[in-house]
Amino acid sequence: MVDVLTPLLRPDQFFSHTTAAALWGAPLPRRVRAEVHVTTAGTAALMRRPGITAHRARPDVPTVTAFGTRLSTPERSWWECASVLTVRELVAVGDALVGRRSLTTFDRLAAAIRPGHRHVRVARAALELVRVGAESPMETWFRLAIVDAGFPEPDLNVEVFDAGGVFLGRVDMAWPEQRIAFEYDGDHHRDRDVFHHDHRRDNGFVVNDWLVVHATAVDAARPALVFERLRQAFAARSRGA
């Protein structure tokens, strides 16, 4: 749809909201992926076409040309998404935008929020939870769920070394003082080479007294068991194990 509509955009029109966020590579819930948002900057006529959600913005709204079209900046698209996403969904978008690709920064996300707007509560609540380091929406989901379950907030993408300084591996989340790690195993972990790498790495963790708790997408639907394993790990550390 974006490719079809791009030639039809006037100079004062651009893709926005979840459409822009998707172009920037942010993860979005399935329920909003089919929506196409087009914003008109200024007072000219909005785009009125089937399947288009039209918006209006100030003439000086920040935009950029990328992917062969005009669209909201990464931070502006994050703010716009506050009107259609939940707090947690918006956190996942924010995590992606400030993450490995460094498309924006925490400060730019904060500056994009418009005080007094009706969606400012959602944006500010999400901004409080955005972190640099989460590399997938499921990692974001588990991080938030772990904190909600009463555990201390973990460090993200932690590099682990043994007592001699030898690199053992990097983990998604960890509590280094307790030597506890939490790993989300996505579908790519089923690959044979990844599987063997994970086992070799975990062996190094075990002999260096690290406790590693693994989770999969199945655990997101029923996290009680994996959280019980995490509680057991913390309990073992509190006993000095």
Side-chain angles (χ1 to χ4, degrees), residues 107-190:
D107 288 342
R108 289 178 181 174
L109 294 182
I113 297 175
R114 293 171 54 193
H117 196 279
R118 66 182 182 277
H119 303 300
V120 71
R121 182 191 62 80
V122 173
R124 285 177 174 164
L127 187 63
E128 288 292 321
L129 298 170
V130 170
R131 300 288 185 272
V132 175
E135 296 185 342
S136 76
M138 287 304 296
E139 288 182 29
T140 295
W141 189 95
F142 272 108
R143 171 172 61 84
L144 297 177
I146 283 169
V147 174
D148 284 349
F151 296 100
E153 181 166 349
D155 295 341
L156 304 182
N157 282 312
V158 176
E159 293 186 344
V160 178
F161 300 85
D162 68 12
V166 176
F167 179 66
L168 298 176
R170 189 181 69 163
V171 292
D172 297 331
M173 304 173 220
W175 297 265
E177 291 187 4
Q178 290 81 14
R179 299 190 309 284
I180 298 172
F182 187 95
E183 281 279 88
Y184 171 69
D185 297 336
D187 289 342
H188 71 284
H189 286 264
R190 299 176 185 175

Side-chain angles (χ1 to χ4, degrees), residues 3-4 8 45 52 60 65 77 87 109 124 151 178 182 196:
D3 292 340
V4 172
L8 304 178
I52 302 297
D60 61 347
T65 299
S77 68
V87 170
L109 294 182
R124 285 177 174 164
F151 296 100
Q178 290 81 14
F182 187 95
H196 289 306

